[in-house]
Amino acid sequence: MSRYEPAVTEAKWQAAWEAAGVFTARRDPAKPKYYVLEMFPYPSGRIHMGHVRNYTMGDVVARQKAAAGYSVLHPMGWDAFGMPAENAAMERGGHPKTWTYGNIADMRAQMKPLGLSIDWSREFATCDPEYYGQQQAMFIDMMAAGLVYRKAAVVNWDPVDHTVLANEQVIDGRGWRSNALVERRELTQWFFRISDYSGELLAALDGLTHWPEKVRLMQANWIGKSRGLQFAFETVGAPAGFAALEVYTTRPDTLLGASFAAISPDHPLAKALEAGNPGLAAFVAECRRGGTTEAALETAEKMGFDTGIRVKHPLDPARELPVYIANFILMDYGTGAIFGCPAHDQRDFDFATKYALPIPPVFCAEGGDEAALTEAYTPLKSERVRYLRGFAGAEVQTGEEAVAAAIAHFETRGIGKGVTNYRLRDWGISRQRYWGCPIPVVHCATCGVVPEAKTNLPVKLPDDVTFDVPGNPLDRHPTWRNCACPKCGAPARRETDTMDTFVDSSWYYARFTAPHATTPTVTEDADYWMNVDQYIGGIEHAILHLLYSRFFARAMHATGHLPAKAIEPFNALFTQGMVTHEIYMGSVVTEGPSLKVDADGNQFQSIGVTRVKFYLPEEVVRIDISGKPEAVLLSALTDKNIDPANRQAVEDFWATERYAPLPTVGRELPILTVIPSAKMSKSKKNVVDPMNIIQAFGADTARWFVMSDSPPERDVEWTSSGAEATSKHLARVWRIADEISRADAPANAEDAALDRATARTIADVTQGIEGFAFNKAVAALYAFTNTMSKSTAGAGAKRAAMLAMAQLMSPMVPHLAEEIWAMLGGAGLVAQAAWPKADPALLVEDSVTLPIQINGKRRAEITVPKTMAASEVEKLVLADEDVIRFLAGQPVKKLIVVPGRIVNVVV
RNA sequence: GCGGAUGUGGCGGAAUUGGUAGACGCGCAGCGUUGAGGUCGCUGUGGGGUAACUCCCGUGAAGGUUCGAGUCCUUUCAUCCGCACCA
């Protein structure tokens, strides 16, 4: 009997698909279209298991939809701009372009053997001038549409390297290379007016019914709509031009609990005061130290500086509040100034405690009384509370009612107004870096800031650059910066900022519909293919990438590059989990056993000192000792001529070495610690290279494994034993098919049962795939394999069942499916066969087994016809022997019959 | 700090969405096949108790709602993701 050989078979079928052009997407007005897209990868150079899982999921969907009669678009490209290419150039020389395109070639070569149903003719990289040139054209259109502007914004400034740092390059407030303390510095930068769309982006979330609820919630919180009061404090002792201090608050009902006002260190008033007050200037400088991230600002120690200025309370002008500069007030939100109500905000409470400010409560629990607070009292806004210092609305009311009443009070008196605010800020796209899309703008002495002429696009990145000096090579390029003003022709200078790489990934889905066009999109293609029917990617993109893409689609529509139906570009979204793996932690001896002296002068025997070292899975031999995971070092076995495949010998080695003394200095300990289930990362060395798996077991094994067990939205643990088991299972399916192809048993009484099981499996697998529960589809196929293996049905029925199984497996393991399909004489390619349909008549069960609970515990069961009336079931239950015995004569209080499900007898 | 999620046997996980907890797989144990090992096939496998049973306990922890809770509510612990210049 022959064997199933993935290496031969997989290459054969990939060639067959290519020859038949099976995956080329075609605009076919006769068919419904289906556009499935996985988030495109950054070309790091190596694919990892997360990629395999992500793309296999998309492939399962794409292949199943193609079989179900859709015209499918399933493209692939590269998110190719970004910092790692520049870092590589800095570290080992060379050019970011060479590095990037080399990586793309490597990764494409690793992806092809997976047998994905991708239309490779549509491939592009965002660093192709043909792509970013079209992006520049859209930027110019967006400028014309008023969606782009410039303003000052803060960046992380490295004062030693004189460069702008990314947030990830700031470690504990210091630059990653220079180790200098980072400063927040203002630069004039380019922005997209995404905040003009805040309300719409929020409201439209309701229509995204096929998006995960959690993603919609995260986006809604990110956009952060709030209703509040804006009013001005009258200042006392402020410099000229600051007679009033505008503040915004979402809790105007707590205004009588205000004990101070505070402004951001970046507030114009703070800047005005800096010049004449060295102490204040030093404090503001202190506030500007450290990174720009919200997490850094929020977790920093809360600090304030009394400006000496006072403001008059708007409801009681006799009362004056001190004005502080406080490091936790954000200039970007509201007006950059607040009033503090320490009784009902923990941050304000801490601040008031620190600076000995009063903490008057505004309200207390509904039935409570005024009492001193030991922490801020912050009930939900929907909760009813009793106002001790209210000024609008009833004494007892909810926070929401009180806020509305307070706003109305201010508006009636004309001293403030209700304002809807959003947390969402405009999208800063300027990057002071080389490896990105140049912003197509020219600075002219007479014309000012002018967009480049479209005929001069693309504004290409110059190739002759070096990365030996920190900073932006474009900025110091001798000739690239000099150009002619597109308006007046006079000598001018190019903008040297490049675009945030999020811009690149905000429209690639649209470009795939016409990837080689000389305009950003082509109307007919966008009309046919948009929207993306199923988008698949990681949850880490839940906010930024997806929100920017939603904005960009709207901007593209506003500038005529997408139809109105595409302003929400992703009809359905699926967020998949990570692939995790055990970590193997070992030790290297750095110091041998010796006599030592402790702090009290006593001698003691040290057993030696070791340093932790992590090992790759392929450096390790993994065993289970009475169910517990253990591992030994492969090199330690080979040193002693122990065969790693001989389990007993490995176990003996483990048992003897386990308590052995430390080896000599510089050697590694042969026994390793196994840490279960951690995110794959290079530093922990727990990365599994998909290429090794494909070489050892074939692509189908890798594909089947990442689809089985874990629900796709959850993390999956990669285990070598699981991969082996998968490989064995696929070989078993092939063996069963092989036997069936040579069987000749006549039709018999078992055929009907197998037909029913086949129908059941078709229904379960189809439902599993369509509902993104690939693990359940796989489980149904496992169960069906057992059924097939045990069935004594005739050869005809078995052959039909196996052909259906090949089709049902084909989205997950397309190569094996083709092989079985061909072996059993299926017509054409399984990749082009119509998806099987279950005969509904075979799915109907005519009887059902009902469990019987007595007081909620299962005590018996009865089997009844499915259509039996509840009253009939009740009679049968009460007559059941087991039920009678359990009831032991007690009266039945209640009898609950859930048709088709369960019966509960309550006594 | 803020926002979002997750937690079920030795392990990955299932549970028709409030209705028999542990499907399916790994691992482990026994039997068979094989010259041995592996492969392959069959059977068993949450914990505890019992001569036996239709017994008791059990879904991170603690409370609650319900005839009935892994599923809903409250509190709490742990882990993961995001926080606007990583992609």
Side-chain angles (χ1 to χ4, degrees), chain A residues 597-855:
Chain A
V597 181
D598 69 15
D600 299 326
N602 302 315
Q603 278 200 340
F604 69 100
Q605 179 68 42
S606 157
I607 57 163
V609 179
T610 60
R611 174 171 50 82
V612 166
K613 181 176 178 185
F614 295 103
Y615 294 93
L616 292 167
E618 51 263 39
E619 298 176 301
V620 163
V621 177
R622 175 73 162 61
I623 48 173
D624 280 279
I625 309 269
S626 49
K628 285 234 168 95
E630 302 289 351
V632 300
L633 200 56
L634 177 60
S635 60
L637 293 173
T638 45
D639 283 354
K640 300 211 168 177
N641 287 322
I642 298 171
D643 176 11
N646 183 340
R647 224 204 97 139
Q648 192 55 51
V650 175
E651 273 187 35
D652 292 345
F653 177 81
W654 179 83
T656 50
E657 288 295 325
R658 206 175 155 198
Y659 299 111
L662 283 190
T664 52
V665 171
R667 300 296 300 264
E668 297 153 283
L669 262 61
I671 305 296
L672 309 176
T673 307
V674 179
I675 302 165
S677 198
K679 179 180 172 177
M680 286 193 183
S681 80
K682 271 189 191 158
S683 63
K684 297 287 192 296
K685 291 209 172 184
N686 62 336
V687 282
V688 175
D689 191 335
M691 300 316 291
N692 294 343
I693 301 302
I694 293 168
Q695 269 165 25
F697 302 110
D700 281 344
T701 291
R703 295 172 56 119
W704 183 268
F705 183 93
V706 292
M707 288 300 99
S708 55
D709 290 354
S710 281
E713 67 274 20
R714 285 246 285 268
D715 295 349
V716 64
E717 168 80 2
W718 181 275
T719 61
S720 54
S721 60
E724 262 172 60
T726 298
S727 164
K728 281 184 200 170
H729 175 258
L730 296 181
R732 182 175 179 228
V733 173
W734 188 87
R735 243 185 352 263
I736 294 171
D738 182 54
E739 281 162 21
I740 290 172
S741 73
R742 288 180 283 104
D744 57 0
N748 61 56
E750 292 301 313
D751 290 9
L754 187 58
D755 288 348
R756 294 180 77 90
T758 305
R760 183 77 262 156
T761 307
I762 291 171
D764 288 350
V765 172
T766 307
Q767 200 192 344
I769 290 176
E770 289 178 350
F772 256 82
F774 305 122
N775 56 321
K776 289 185 210 168
V778 167
L781 286 165
Y782 266 115
F784 191 53
T785 306
N786 285 336
T787 306
M788 291 272 281
S789 145
K790 283 172 192 162
S791 173
T792 54
K798 280 194 165 184
R799 187 175 161 278
M802 190 43 101
L803 280 171
M805 177 136 155
Q807 284 190 282
L808 295 174
M809 291 177 83
S810 68
M812 279 75 89
V813 285
H815 314 88
L816 175 67
E818 292 287 3
E819 192 70 10
I820 292 174
W821 184 257
M823 191 197 295
L824 296 181
L829 291 167
V830 74
Q832 290 178 309
W835 192 250
K837 284 200 170 66
D839 179 352
L842 295 177
L843 293 174
V844 179
E845 307 279 345
D846 38 16
S847 71
V848 61
T849 301
L850 294 178
I852 300 172
Q853 294 184 336
I854 292 170
N855 285 338

